[in-house]
Amino acid sequence: MSINVSVVIPLYNEDESLRELDQWIKKVMTENQFTYEVIYVNDGSNDKSWQVIEALSEENNAAKGICFSRNYGKSAALFAGFEMAEGDVVITMDADLQDSPEEIPELHSMIVNDRYDLISGWKKKRYDPISKTLPSKLFNGVASWLSGIKLHDFNCGLKAYRKEVVKSIEVYGEMHRYIPILAKEAGFVNIGEKVVRHQARKYGVTKFGLNRFINGFLDLLSIHFMTKFGKKPMHFFGALGSLMFFVGVLSALWVGGVKLWYVFQGVQAERVTESPYFYLSLVSMVLGTQLFLTGFIGELVSRSSSERNVYKISKVIKHR
Ligand code: UDP
Ligand code: MG
């Protein structure tokens, strides 16, 4: 029997909310006559989360579990859940009851009927402290501008995917914030947004501190760089390096030219080391060479990668 919906739930120390969440999901699924599975990914919790999941799986056939032996992070948990998911539509949601399972039917229909590849939730009205909402606004603005994906809330835990999408992307590190970008990179451009209800955290505490913004920003830069130049680092470093080197050569010529001109005039010339162009030329040439070499090394690294010729092919026509 095919499964309509897989719900993937990464969790770290959320034992208080799991039972309530499971019942809520079950209620929504039965009301809408979906065949479903819920995959609880226990990300190395040190409370009773896993015991609760075990108990749930005995009562409810749809409840499945994955238990990490230590805390690897939300991205890793999502990845493991995605590997296991069998449903036609895969929904991710947080375990803390901040996301509402009531959204599932609508999300499912947007994927199945409106042919979206990915729908990202948008917590338009958020129940979080301002220390979180304000930086997050800035953040989403930059992410949306850099990636060209028009979303208001990249990091929303509540998302829906067509099955092929989760099977084609690799969420690692802390990249769970940028899954829409990963999906776009994998060729799934039909990305939409749905305003979702959001609740204040009922039990437990948030698992991400303020350093989420620093790390998140660095990740955004690396993902942007990787998508643009990951397969051709020389195009970035080589261009920049050559440009700098060229500037260096120009200033060296200027310094040398001026000196020669004075000498021919028979005038007492200033020492070359007194000209600012001398230092400009020195620094530019050294930096230019280094950038160029960085590009070259990057190129060597990417060429020797075993994935250099791995492509996601969706269709092929062949004649015998
Ligand atoms: N989470 C996880 N591993 C971690 C940190 C968080 O699986 O290392 C889970 C957490 O249990 C929750 C979801 O990721 O289900 C979102 O975390 P949280 O609610 O703390 O984030 P916030 O809502 O504050 O952004
Ligand atoms: Mg939360």
Side-chain angles (χ1 to χ4, degrees), residues 223-292:
I223 199 170
H224 180 63
F225 186 82
M226 286 307 285
T227 11
K228 255 190 128 159
F229 299 108
K231 293 233 185 248
K232 40 180 186 176
M234 196 55 167
H235 288 195
F236 178 77
F237 291 108
L240 214 59
S242 310
L243 188 74
M244 286 213 85
F245 195 82
F246 185 64
V247 170
V249 169
L250 279 187
S251 4
L253 285 178
W254 174 255
V255 174
V258 169
K259 177 86 181 179
L260 281 179
W261 191 74
Y262 275 123
V263 170
F264 284 132
Q265 300 286 313
V267 192
Q268 169 89 42
E270 62 173 2
R271 289 163 187 269
V272 277
T273 49
E274 268 162 36
S275 160
Y277 292 106
F278 174 75
Y279 298 99
L280 190 70
S281 134
L282 213 64
V283 170
S284 298
M285 286 210 237
V286 171
L287 283 184
T289 315
Q290 292 206 321
L291 281 171
F292 196 87

Side-chain angles (χ1 to χ4, degrees), residues 51-219:
Q51 281 92 314
V52 178
I53 294 168
E54 277 179 334
L56 288 176
S57 71
E58 295 200 351
E59 298 156 24
N60 179 357
N61 237 343
K64 307 176 180 177
I66 298 174
C67 189
F68 281 172
S69 48
R70 70 169 174 85
N71 179 243
Y72 283 102
K74 189 175 175 185
S75 295
L78 285 174
F79 180 74
F82 286 165
E83 291 245 284
M84 187 164 156
E86 289 172 23
D88 300 329
V89 173
V90 178
I91 308 265
T92 59
M93 61 196 301
D94 291 353
D96 52 5
L97 294 166
Q98 288 195 274
D99 302 325
S100 160
E102 310 278 347
E103 307 281 355
I104 293 175
E106 176 90 357
L107 288 170
H108 176 268
S109 140
M110 288 175 88
I111 299 283
V112 173
N113 301 326
D114 305 339
R115 310 295 302 156
Y116 279 106
D117 295 319
L118 190 167
I119 297 289
S120 181
W122 173 15
K123 299 163 284 187
K124 200 167 179 182
K125 184 154 176 35
R126 268 180 87 165
Y127 295 87
D128 278 323
I130 187 147
S131 60
K132 218 158 114 181
T133 50
L134 210 62
S136 134
K137 269 223 165 74
L138 176 83
F139 210 61
N140 283 304
V142 178
S144 167
W145 172 63
L146 278 181
S147 64
I149 306 173
K150 298 278 162 273
L151 291 181
H152 292 88
D153 192 359
F154 278 80
N155 192 18
C156 184
L158 184 54
K159 287 192 173 63
Y161 308 81
R162 180 184 306 289
K163 184 186 192 177
E164 296 87 74
V165 180
V166 301
K167 300 293 179 192
S168 328
I169 57 178
E170 203 172 321
V171 197
Y172 64 95
E174 292 196 20
M175 291 300 179
H176 58 267
R177 300 193 178 91
Y178 302 114
I179 297 182
I181 304 183
L182 296 178
K184 185 182 172 196
E185 201 189 327
F188 299 98
V189 288
N190 232 338
I191 298 174
E193 185 167 56
K194 175 181 188 309
V195 175
V196 294
R197 269 157 289 170
H198 185 238
Q199 281 94 241
R201 214 180 218 285
K202 200 162 165 188
Y203 309 102
V205 289
T206 176
K207 307 300 180 309
F208 298 99
L210 281 180
N211 62 359
R212 72 165 87 198
F213 296 111
I214 302 164
N215 296 342
F217 190 67
L218 293 175
D219 282 345

